[in-house]
Each structure stands twice: as C-alpha cells, then as structure tokens.
Amino acid sequence: MQSLISLAYLHDKLGNSKAAFRWFTKVVEGFPIHTGARFRLAELCEDAGNIEQALEHYNVVAAHEPTKVDPLLRAANAANRAGLLSRTVPTVLARMPVAPV
C-alpha cells in the first residue's frame, strides 16, 4: 500500500494530476479510509470540475475525521461554486463540530 501512496504523491508533486488521480483512486480503492489520500483525491476532483465526486470524498473524510472542519469547509466552497450550496449546507452544519464553552 505504501508504494501506491508514494506513487500518488510523487505524481502529484510533479504536477501530473491525471496520473496522481489514478494512483490516489487506487489507494482509496484499497484503503477506503485513508483520509489523506481521499482528501487529495477530492481536491483533484474539484480542480477537474467533478464537484459531485469531490463532495462525496470530502464527506467521507469528514465522517472519518469528525473533529476536522477543513473537509466540511472545502465541501461547502466547492458546492457554492457549483450552485449546490443549498443542498450541502444542512450536511455541513450537521457535521460541524461544536466547541465547548
């Protein structure tokens, strides 16, 4: 698994987003809860204009890392740009961690 992750990040670092997308997809297929790979895959989907797919990945990351707000904020931003914000806001608000007062 580590070699797949290394290949994905190598292609990503080299700016080869198509190859990085393929390798990150393989990582996520083999290890669905690898949140780092899934988050980067969501970003690549978003960059390519595949907002629905990006939202799916951001939501999986948010579900596995409920204390992190970054995937929720990225999902909201992507949805906003795609005109899907009204559909996404309830999910984002429901998952937003609440800090103790």
Side-chain angles (χ1 to χ4, degrees):
M1 181 58 66
Q2 187 58 43
S3 59
L4 292 178
I5 295 167
S6 296
L7 282 169
Y9 281 109
L10 174 66
H11 283 287
D12 197 25
K13 182 84 170 167
L14 293 173
N16 188 348
S17 58
K18 288 182 181 180
F21 177 85
R22 284 194 307 272
W23 287 108
F24 280 120
T25 299
K26 289 181 184 291
V27 171
V28 168
E29 287 170 352
F31 192 54
I33 60 170
H34 191 292
T35 56
R38 191 173 286 272
F39 188 83
R40 186 61 188 129
L41 187 55
E43 292 175 321
L44 290 168
C45 290
E46 185 179 349
D47 293 344
N50 299 325
I51 303 302
E52 294 282 344
Q53 194 174 12
L55 293 175
E56 289 177 27
H57 291 301
Y58 285 134
N59 284 328
V60 171
V61 173
H64 288 287
E65 295 189 2
T67 61
K68 294 193 177 181
V69 297
D70 197 38
L72 297 172
L73 296 176
R74 291 295 302 260
N77 284 330
N80 185 44
R81 285 195 307 279
L84 303 171
L85 190 58
S86 63
R87 193 180 87 199
T88 307
V89 166
T91 303
V92 170
L93 291 177
R95 288 191 171 161
M96 192 68 73
V98 178
V101 271

